[in-house]
Structures are given as structure tokens and as C-alpha cells.
Amino acid sequence: MSEASVPQSVWSQDIHRALADAGIRQVAYVPDAGHQSLIERCHADASMRTVRLTTEEEGIALAAGAWLGGARAALLMQSSGVGNCVNMLSLIEECRCPLLMLVTMRGEWGETNPWQVPMGQRTAPVLERCGVIVQHVDRAGDLGAEVAAAAQLAFVSARAVALLIGQRLVGAKTFE
Amino acid sequence: MTRPSITLERRDAVATILKSRGDALVVTGLGSPTWDVAATSESPLNFYLWGAMGGAAMIGLGLALAQPARRVIVITGDGELLMGMGSLATIGVEHPANLSIVVLDNEHYGETGMQESHTARGVDLAAIAVASNFASASTLYTRRELDAWVPALYRDAGPLLGVVKVRPTQPPLQVPARDGTSIRSRFREALLGPGASRESS
């Protein structure tokens, strides 16, 4: 069975539960099909304030402000959005603010839109060059533990952490 | 179109605005707004930016949502806000009642050689805030208008935006702490208590 055959509606539950257990109070996102089900779960959760963004860098600044005020935030985006965050990540590094990013990958496993490939292939190195610790997950069964570990690293050790959710898991979008 | 002449001095305006800050939390946009706030209202409850251009208003939003009982004041410049103009739409949608944004609009990029900004050429940030679902937004040219507006900044339900037109002068540099971790730890300890830096956050 391929990982993509595990439905998003199932694995998004593990992510949502891990975010709730980590005490996440603000969930900021630019919509992505790979996060569709998780976004719906966060909207339905009264303990989470969802914030829709016009561009991903807004979410980096929002997460810093939330933490300054004593609240934990998580930021959901697609890999193409990572490129929009580069300079704002200097705020996170210089102030050593915790940051938890969940990034659904495009431009890798079976991609059919070539325009996604440039940023998708550079997502991990760009994040690493910006001081963000990168975790990869390609198996649905690992998601809950990966999110919990990323949140603990981010908020207890005050580090920026991005969990890259592989396209193998999300499923390659086709245009047919 | 003729516009009123600009007579307000930025540092006087900031002193007037922050005189009645009480326990408000203040976020400052990089450059002159940071120097102005450091010179007129230094406090551990100031989060000073030295970079992250375009991010001040969104830091204010995250803080305002985390601290709904406190007033959050973002004091920034026209160039800084222009770089994060989409954040006005995001803030208008989230509609935090406790967030006020003050734009010290000198219509120039003061830190880089006083090049004109878009606000010198007809871009109206208050109109953009109104069109972005802010509770209210206004442009202030005179001391009288400023004095009349300051109480609303602390009292009225937000999000509010005030564009304070100031002369393109550069008052003496007043430099606060530079180190980001010091600025954030001082702020969090003042707001959340002395354990803020020790405990798991």
C-alpha cells in the first residue's frame, strides 16, 4: 500500500491531536490542499485561533508575537511559501523565538507541475540556511510522533523547527 | 489636490501618544520609530525591532490575540508598513479589538537616504485600512487632531490605524538594546513574570 493511499482525513487527525497536546493556541496558514483537512480540524477546535494569512511571512511575525504574549503558535504552509519567509526568519533567529512550521511538500515525489519544482527542491536547504531545524516525514504512521517531537524541540528548547510532510504522503496532484 | 502642510515633529508626536500608555504593550518598527520610542517612552514592555521589515503589524496581531486584556500599540513607519501591506487585510479579517497601529508617516525612507515612499505619491494607508475592514482609520496632520485622537487609540474597539503625518526630520539617534534575545527576554519577563525565561515556553 502506498503512503498516499492513507487518506488525509485520517492522518490530519494525528497532527491535530499532537498540536492540541502541545498547547498550540494560534494556527496560522496560507491554504494548501495538503493541509485542507487539518485546517478544517483546527477551525472546528475552540481552543485554537485560526489566522488566515495573505503571505507566509506574516505567519512568522505572528508566531513571534504570540510567543512574546505567552501563547504557542503553529504555521501551516506549502513548500512554495517557504521562499516567502526568508528575511522574516531573521527575527526568529536573532530573538531565538520558538517556531513550529508544518510544510506540505510540492515539487518532489511525482510532481506534475514543473513550476513547483524549483522551490520544492530548495525548501529544506533554504530553511537550514535560515537557521531552521528540518525534520522530514514520509510515512503517515509517524506523523503524530514527529509533530510532538518538533513541538517539544521548538517550544522547550526555543528553536525554529520545520516538519516537511513529503509529497509521497500528501499525494501528487494531477492536472488531468 | 492640495494637502494640509505637515507640521508635526515625530518625536513630539510619539511622546504625546505614549504619555498615557498605562500598561499597554508596544511594538516598534525598525529605524526611526524604534529610536523615537526608546527616546520618549523606554520600557521593558517595548519590543524593539531592528529588522524584520514588514513584520511589526503582524507581531502586534500575534501579541494582541495572545493578550486580549491588554492594549497593543504598534508604532511603525510608512515604508515598514508598505512592505507588509497584506497584513492590513489579515488584521482587518481577524479584527482584534485591542490592537492599534500608529504609522509615523514622513513619506520617506529615513534610514536609507530619505528617498520618497509611495505615501508621498498618493498612496493613502488610512484608506487601505478602512477598505481592509479596520474598525476605524484616520490621517492626522495637526497637533489638535492628534490630541483629540490619542484617547481613542487606547479606548476604542480596534483594530485602529492612525497615520500621523510627520516632518521628514531625523532627531538624534536614541539606540535601545540591540540584542534580540535580550529584548525578547526582558519583554516576556515584564509581561509574563520572572519565570518566563526559565520555564518551558
Side-chain angles (χ1 to χ4, degrees), chain B residues 139-154:
Chain B
T139 303
L140 310 156
Y141 284 91
T142 66
R143 159 67 52 179
R144 221 166 109 190
E145 289 170 343
L146 182 66
D147 288 341
W149 179 72
V150 167
L153 175 75
Y154 294 100

Side-chain angles (χ1 to χ4, degrees), chain B residues 14 28 32-43 46 48 174-176:
Chain B
V14 172
T28 68
S32 298
T34 287
W35 325 143
D36 294 334
V37 173
T40 58
S41 187
E42 157 60 7
S43 160
N46 296 343
Y48 297 115
Q174 177 81 28
V175 172

Side-chain angles (χ1 to χ4, degrees), chain B residues 73-122:
Chain B
I73 313 285
V74 174
I75 298 188
T76 190
D78 44 304
E80 204 275 346
L81 189 62
L82 284 163
M83 192 172 281
M85 218 158 71
S87 62
L88 292 180
T90 299
I91 290 165
V93 168
E94 294 305 319
H95 223 66
N98 59 329
L99 179 61
S100 300
I101 300 174
V102 176
V103 186
L104 300 169
D105 183 4
N106 66 359
E107 305 185 347
H108 290 80
Y109 290 89
E111 299 301 306
T112 54
M114 277 292 169
Q115 300 88 352
E116 269 189 352
S117 84
H118 287 1
T119 60
R121 297 297 179 107

